[in-house]
Structures are given as C-alpha cells and as structure tokens.
C-alpha cells in the first residue's frame, strides 16, 4: 500500500509520459529498459556531435562552453534520422524477444526537443529545428566522456 507521499507523487506524475513506467509499471524490467529513451537520443547525438561538443567554446566564435546543449547545437534532421533508425531496431529486437517498448510516432523525433518534448512537456510539445531551444542551453554534454554515454550505454 503506497504512503500518502507516494500517492501524491504518483498523482503529480500521471500526465507526464516519462513517468509512465513509474505510474503504470512494465511487465518486466526489460520492458522498462527498452522504453528508456536516453540511449536512443543521447548516444547517437553525442557520437554524431563529437566535433561540435569538442569545438564549442574553443573555436566557434567566442561561445561559452557552459551554454552548450546537445538539443540546441547537435540535434538536426540527420541526427534525428539516425535516432529514429536506432529506435526502429530497438522495437524489432524487443518484439523478437517478446517484451514491450514505449511507442513514439516518427514525427516526435524530428525536433530539437526530440521525444523528450512530449515526454516531459506534454503531447505536441516541440522545439522546431529552425528555432533556438534556450530551455536546453547549458545542459551539455561538455565532453564525449559524459553521462550521455557513460551512463546511457550500460543502463540502456
């Protein structure tokens, strides 16, 4: 039986997609693991954006490295295409081993906020590629040896 604090937490997260596994749970730990979007988003973005990550604040016209954001400065249509392809492979693998995975429409991958837009800010939330995404400024990663790789690969 959940405590009052646990009930309040679950109630506060019921409309935030990223907490679905907390609110509703998965059937197995693999269901929850396959539904973790971080490896799908962060790992390809970090690898494909390595040059920008390493050069931002060093050779790009006086930019302050502390303002860098993978969402604002790396994510593009091409990066989204790789992320979406990776996600399709995850779906295929999950189906072959008989576990569930959170499903996202293709169009949610194609924005600066990517899947995390609707996951954290609600359905329809999106930061278009032709606009800045200031909310993400300063979120990194600031090197390729970042949690976006060192945590997301082993956890995801």
């Amino acid at each position: 039986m959940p405590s009052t604090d646990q009930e309040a937490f679950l109630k506060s997260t019921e409309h935030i997609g990223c907490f679905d596994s907390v609110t509703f749970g998965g059937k197995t730990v693999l269901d929850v693991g396959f539904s973790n979007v971080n490896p799908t988003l962060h790992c390809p973005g970090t690898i494909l954006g390595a040059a920008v990550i390493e050069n931002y604040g060093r050779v790009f016209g006086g930019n302050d490295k502390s303002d860098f954001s993978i969402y604002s400065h790396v994510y593009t249509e091409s990066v989204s295409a790789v992320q979406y392809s990776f996600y399709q492979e995850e779906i295929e693998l999950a189906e072959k081993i008989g576990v569930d995975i959170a499903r996202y429409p293709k169009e949610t991958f194609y924005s600066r906020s990517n899947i995390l837009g609707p996951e954290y800010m609600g359905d329809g939330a999106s930061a278009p590629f032709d606009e800045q995404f200031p909310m993400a400024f300063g979120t990194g990663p600031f090197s390729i040896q970042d949690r976006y790789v060192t945590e997301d690969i082993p956890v995801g």
Side-chain angles (χ1 to χ4, degrees):
M1 186 77 151
S3 71
T4 305
D5 288 341
Q6 289 169 327
E7 289 172 359
F9 172 76
L10 292 175
K11 180 94 174 123
S12 72
T13 64
E14 67 186 9
H15 299 293
I16 303 175
C18 62
F19 286 107
D20 284 351
S21 64
V22 173
T23 307
F24 305 110
K27 292 179 186 158
T28 70
V29 86
L30 286 175
D31 298 345
V32 175
F34 269 98
S35 295
N36 178 356
V37 299
N38 288 338
T40 307
L41 303 182
H42 295 153
C43 296
T46 300
I47 293 164
L48 295 171
V52 178
I53 293 165
E54 292 177 348
N55 282 319
Y56 197 89
R58 180 165 60 177
V59 297
F60 289 151
N63 291 327
D64 180 352
K65 191 164 188 85
S66 67
D67 289 338
F68 181 77
S69 161
I70 196 171
Y71 299 96
S72 298
H73 304 106
V74 171
Y75 285 2
T76 63
E77 294 87 348
S78 297
V79 171
S80 292
V82 171
Q83 292 165 323
Y84 185 71
S85 293
F86 182 86
Y87 172 66
Q88 294 299 2
E89 288 183 26
E90 286 183 306
I91 289 173
E92 187 177 332
L93 180 59
E95 288 174 350
K96 284 185 179 183
I97 63 173
V99 299
D100 202 8
I101 185 171
R103 305 295 176 132
Y104 303 98
K106 183 177 183 177
E107 63 270 8
T108 60
F109 283 82
Y110 287 84
S111 78
R112 293 205 181 281
S113 55
N114 212 289
I115 300 170
L116 296 181
E119 278 288 295
Y120 284 98
M121 297 176 276
D123 288 340
S126 176
F129 287 124
D130 59 350
E131 295 178 14
Q132 292 285 343
F133 187 35
M135 185 175 107
F137 288 175
T139 58
F142 303 108
S143 82
I144 60 170
Q145 299 302 318
D146 185 86
R147 67 183 177 88
Y148 283 3
V149 173
T150 62
E151 290 178 16
D152 289 350
I153 289 174
V155 171

CSV table of all heavy atoms in Angstrom, one decimal, residues 1 9 14 26 55 59 65 96-97 105 122 135 142 151:
chain,number,residue,atom,x,y,z
A,1,MET,N,0.8,-1.2,0.0
A,1,MET,CA,0.0,0.0,0.0
A,1,MET,C,0.9,1.2,0.0
A,1,MET,O,1.7,1.4,0.9
A,1,MET,CB,-0.9,0.0,1.3
A,1,MET,CG,-1.9,1.0,1.3
A,1,MET,SD,-3.2,0.6,0.2
A,1,MET,CE,-4.6,1.3,0.9
A,9,PHE,N,3.0,11.7,-5.1
A,9,PHE,CA,3.9,11.7,-6.2
A,9,PHE,C,3.3,11.1,-7.5
A,9,PHE,O,3.4,11.6,-8.5
A,9,PHE,CB,5.2,10.9,-5.8
A,9,PHE,CG,6.2,10.7,-7.0
A,9,PHE,CD1,7.0,11.8,-7.4
A,9,PHE,CD2,6.3,9.5,-7.6
A,9,PHE,CE1,7.8,11.6,-8.5
A,9,PHE,CE2,7.1,9.3,-8.7
A,9,PHE,CZ,7.9,10.4,-9.1
A,14,GLU,N,0.9,11.7,-13.2
A,14,GLU,CA,0.0,10.9,-14.0
A,14,GLU,C,-0.1,11.5,-15.5
A,14,GLU,O,-0.5,10.7,-16.4
A,14,GLU,CB,-1.3,10.7,-13.4
A,14,GLU,CG,-2.2,12.0,-13.2
A,14,GLU,CD,-3.4,11.7,-12.5
A,14,GLU,OE1,-3.6,10.6,-11.9
A,14,GLU,OE2,-4.3,12.6,-12.4
A,26,GLY,N,6.1,-1.6,-15.9
A,26,GLY,CA,6.2,-2.5,-17.1
A,26,GLY,C,5.9,-3.9,-16.6
A,26,GLY,O,5.9,-4.2,-15.4
A,55,ASN,N,34.6,21.3,-30.0
A,55,ASN,CA,34.9,22.6,-30.5
A,55,ASN,C,34.1,23.8,-30.0
A,55,ASN,O,34.6,24.9,-30.0
A,55,ASN,CB,34.8,22.7,-32.1
A,55,ASN,CG,36.0,22.0,-32.7
A,55,ASN,OD1,37.1,22.1,-32.3
A,55,ASN,ND2,35.7,21.2,-33.8
A,59,VAL,N,36.7,27.0,-30.7
A,59,VAL,CA,36.9,27.7,-32.0
A,59,VAL,C,35.7,28.3,-32.6
A,59,VAL,O,35.8,28.9,-33.6
A,59,VAL,CB,37.5,26.7,-33.0
A,59,VAL,CG1,38.9,26.2,-32.5
A,59,VAL,CG2,36.6,25.5,-33.3
A,65,LYS,N,31.4,27.6,-23.4
A,65,LYS,CA,31.1,26.2,-23.4
A,65,LYS,C,30.0,25.8,-22.4
A,65,LYS,O,29.3,24.9,-22.6
A,65,LYS,CB,32.4,25.4,-23.0
A,65,LYS,CG,32.2,23.9,-23.2
A,65,LYS,CD,33.6,23.2,-23.2
A,65,LYS,CE,33.5,21.8,-23.6
A,65,LYS,NZ,33.5,21.5,-25.0
A,96,LYS,N,11.1,-9.4,-31.0
A,96,LYS,CA,11.7,-10.7,-31.2
A,96,LYS,C,11.9,-11.5,-29.9
A,96,LYS,O,11.8,-12.7,-29.8
A,96,LYS,CB,13.0,-10.7,-32.0
A,96,LYS,CG,12.7,-10.4,-33.5
A,96,LYS,CD,13.9,-10.5,-34.3
A,96,LYS,CE,13.5,-10.3,-35.8
A,96,LYS,NZ,14.6,-10.4,-36.7
A,97,ILE,N,12.2,-10.7,-28.8
A,97,ILE,CA,12.4,-11.4,-27.5
A,97,ILE,C,11.2,-11.3,-26.7
A,97,ILE,O,11.2,-11.8,-25.6
A,97,ILE,CB,13.6,-10.8,-26.8
A,97,ILE,CG1,13.5,-9.4,-26.4
A,97,ILE,CG2,14.9,-11.1,-27.6
A,97,ILE,CD1,14.6,-8.9,-25.5
A,105,PRO,N,5.5,8.2,-32.2
A,105,PRO,CA,5.3,8.4,-33.6
A,105,PRO,C,6.6,9.0,-34.2
A,105,PRO,O,7.4,9.7,-33.5
A,105,PRO,CB,4.2,9.5,-33.7
A,105,PRO,CG,3.7,9.7,-32.3
A,105,PRO,CD,4.6,9.0,-31.4
A,122,GLY,N,4.5,17.4,-22.4
A,122,GLY,CA,3.2,17.1,-22.8
A,122,GLY,C,3.0,16.9,-24.3
A,122,GLY,O,3.9,17.4,-25.1
A,135,MET,N,15.7,26.7,-23.5
A,135,MET,CA,15.4,26.0,-22.3
A,135,MET,C,16.5,24.9,-22.0
A,135,MET,O,16.9,24.6,-20.9
A,135,MET,CB,14.1,25.3,-22.3
A,135,MET,CG,13.7,24.6,-21.1
A,135,MET,SD,12.0,23.9,-21.2
A,135,MET,CE,12.4,22.2,-21.4
A,142,PHE,N,29.4,18.2,-22.1
A,142,PHE,CA,30.5,19.1,-22.3
A,142,PHE,C,31.8,18.4,-22.8
A,142,PHE,O,32.8,19.0,-23.1
A,142,PHE,CB,30.8,19.9,-21.0
A,142,PHE,CG,29.6,20.7,-20.6
A,142,PHE,CD1,28.8,20.3,-19.5
A,142,PHE,CD2,29.1,21.7,-21.4
A,142,PHE,CE1,27.7,21.0,-19.2
A,142,PHE,CE2,27.9,22.4,-21.0
A,142,PHE,CZ,27.2,22.0,-19.9
A,151,GLU,N,26.7,6.6,-18.8
A,151,GLU,CA,25.6,6.0,-18.1
A,151,GLU,C,24.5,5.4,-19.0
A,151,GLU,O,24.0,4.4,-18.8
A,151,GLU,CB,24.9,7.1,-17.2
A,151,GLU,CG,25.7,7.6,-16.0
A,151,GLU,CD,25.0,8.7,-15.3
A,151,GLU,OE1,23.7,8.9,-15.4
A,151,GLU,OE2,25.7,9.3,-14.5
